């Protein structure tokens, strides 16, 4: 099963994509890119997100800097800490 077919719900409304000038469709956005964007936009520190997600702050720091990838279970914890959820992308979503 490919995990990059999963997206966050309510993470890239059309107006946010237009505001950012993002030309990629939701279908082309991988979980890691969406999660990194959401972390940048949330206004919380990496430390606060990590504590809310019950993970080490070093994991988020290294993930955001590109030093490491994270497991899907870790992505789900971070998403939950940000008030998001992971769900399968339906066929009618995307560009």
């Amino acid at each position: 099963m490919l995990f990059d077919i999963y997206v966050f719900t309510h993470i890239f409304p059309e107006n946010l994509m237009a505001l950012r000038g993002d030309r990629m469709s939701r279908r082309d956005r991988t979980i890691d890119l969406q999660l990194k964007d959401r972390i940048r936009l949330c206004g919380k520190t990496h430390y606060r997100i990590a504590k809310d997600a019950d993970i080490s702050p070093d994991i988020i720091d290294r993930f955001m800097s590109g030093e490491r990838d994270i497991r899907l279970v870790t992505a789900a914890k971070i998403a939950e800490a940000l008030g998001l959820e992971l769900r399968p992308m339906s066929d009618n979503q995307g560009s």
Side-chain angles (χ1 to χ4, degrees), residues 46-51 55-63:
H46 294 177
Y47 180 83
R48 178 75 269 152
I49 296 166
K51 290 302 174 188
I55 60 174
S56 167
D58 186 54
I59 291 173
I60 292 183
D61 289 337
R62 292 174 63 206
F63 169 64

Side-chain angles (χ1 to χ4, degrees), residues 18-93:
L19 179 66
R20 292 181 61 236
D22 197 336
R23 298 180 194 274
M24 295 179 83
S25 72
R26 282 183 246 176
R27 187 174 299 268
D28 295 333
R29 304 276 306 166
T30 59
I31 290 174
D32 66 322
L33 292 176
Q34 291 184 62
L35 189 56
K36 285 177 181 179
D37 281 348
R38 192 56 173 193
I39 289 169
R40 283 185 202 100
L41 295 171
C42 78
K44 294 182 179 180
T45 65
H46 294 177
Y47 180 83
R48 178 75 269 152
I49 296 166
K51 290 302 174 188
D52 290 347
D54 196 28
I55 60 174
S56 167
D58 186 54
I59 291 173
I60 292 183
D61 289 337
R62 292 174 63 206
F63 169 64
M64 293 299 291
S65 70
E67 292 178 43
R68 68 168 286 168
D69 290 328
I70 56 174
R71 298 180 310 152
L72 186 59
V73 67
T74 304
K77 287 180 180 182
I78 295 170
E80 184 176 341
L82 295 173
L84 306 168
E85 69 178 332
L86 299 177
R87 76 161 86 172
M89 195 167 80
S90 66
D91 289 334
N92 61 355
Q93 286 180 325

Side-chain angles (χ1 to χ4, degrees), residues 3-21:
F3 293 109
D4 62 352
I5 63 170
Y6 288 79
V7 296
F8 292 101
T9 57
H10 306 298
I11 195 168
F12 285 108
E14 300 306 324
N15 59 348
L16 179 59
M17 289 177 72
L19 179 66
R20 292 181 61 236

